[in-house]
Structures are given as structure tokens and as C-alpha cells.
Amino acid sequence: MRKSFLTKALALTVVAGVLTARSSAVSIVTGPTDNPLPGTASGSLASLTGGTLVDSASTGFSNASWTGTLYTTVVRETTGTLSFLYQLKIASGPNFVTRMTTIDFTGFLTDVDYLSDAFTGFGFVAPVGLDPFPHTADRHTADVIGFDFANGSLDSGLVAGQTTNVMYIRTDATNYTSGLTNVIDGNIAQVKSFAPTAAVPGPAALIPFGIGFAASLARRRQKR
């Protein structure tokens, strides 16, 4: 009984720690709501910025309107869960880049925001000023997380020469796979990135099942 109690208490402590670590972000759930993003200083996200870089990519993209680069990383936070970070650099083009969407987050909890300071950890580059940041985030469908850079007449979006603040999506995932990110201004540029995925049991995890299955067959044969 004591061991069971200690196990449950430890589990509750871990969950409480993860929830506390997520409290500064905006929890995004599936629905029509566009969620305002307040911005978070990197120093207040120790479990994220003090985490371990798992994977990263720097990918150039272009469409009929502009060219740019998407910087994206997977970070394992000190809590053990994965976060997905993004930064856009628009190199050239006449049109405003208004939106970025990334997939597939189906089945995972997501907390979303951007780092309000010039964070350069995990290989990100310093933004040109601190103005080009996403105003809102959304999850209109279960799989897609969206960031909006336009804000009506106050902000038309990203222009050539701008580099955004680092955007992040914190999740409850512990594994990841390849994903896709779309950069949008009416035209769309699709860029390879990363996405969370469920854990797949390895061969060692299947051994107990195999032993149990063999024992079951043996019992059935004895009964015949």
C-alpha cells in the first residue's frame, strides 16, 4: 500500500510541475477562437529554454511572391515533454506574409506563444527589431496550429527583410516525426518541419506480450 501511495504521489507531483511550467503560455484547443498572444520572456521559461535540442532544420522556401527561410527545432523540455519552435525570415518579395500554419498536432495538448525578447538559443537568429511577432494563434481544426501576423489596419503582416520572434508550441508529446509548415500570403509555400507523434512500442516492449501469448497457447493445448 505504501509503495502504491508513493507512486501516485510522485505522478501527481510530476503532473503539477508540468502544468506549472505551462502556465505562462496560451492553451489552444480546437475551435473557432483566435487567441491573442501576450508574448513571454525567455528567462521565465526555464523548462523550455533550459531544455535539450533534439532536432533542427533551416529550410529555404519560395512562391510566386517572395522568398525566405524557416528555422525550426524540436526541444525536449526539462519536464521530458517536447516543444516545437519556429522562426521566419522573409528575404524578398512585394507582398505581406500574413499567416503561418503547422501540422499535425491531432491528439496532443498545445500551449502556444512567442518569445518576446531576442532569443538566440538552439541556433535561432536575432530578429531585426522586436516588432514582427504573431498577434494571435488558433487551432480551428484538431491537426493545425495557426499563427497570424496581420492585425487589421494596425499591422499588415511580415515584409521583406523582417525576421520574426521565435514562436513555440509546447505539447504533452514525448516523440516526434516529420511535419509540414505553410507560409501564407494568399499564395502558399509549404516547408518541411516537425510534428509530435505517439510512442511506438519497440521490440523489447513486445516481449512480455509474446511470452503471455505463448503461455496462453500452451494452456489451450493442454486442455485439448
Side-chain angles (χ1 to χ4, degrees), residues 1-10:
M1 288 290 292
R2 179 174 176 77
K3 184 178 180 181
S4 176
F5 173 78
L6 290 175
T7 301
K8 290 180 179 178
L10 178 61

Side-chain angles (χ1 to χ4, degrees), residues 62 69 76 91 97 115 121 134 141 148 219 222:
S62 64
T69 304
R76 189 172 302 281
V97 175
L115 298 177
T141 58
D148 280 312
R219 285 195 298 270
Q222 289 172 0

Side-chain angles (χ1 to χ4, degrees), residues 211-221:
I211 294 173
F213 182 67
S216 175
L217 285 178
R219 285 195 298 270
R220 289 181 182 179
R221 287 171 180 169

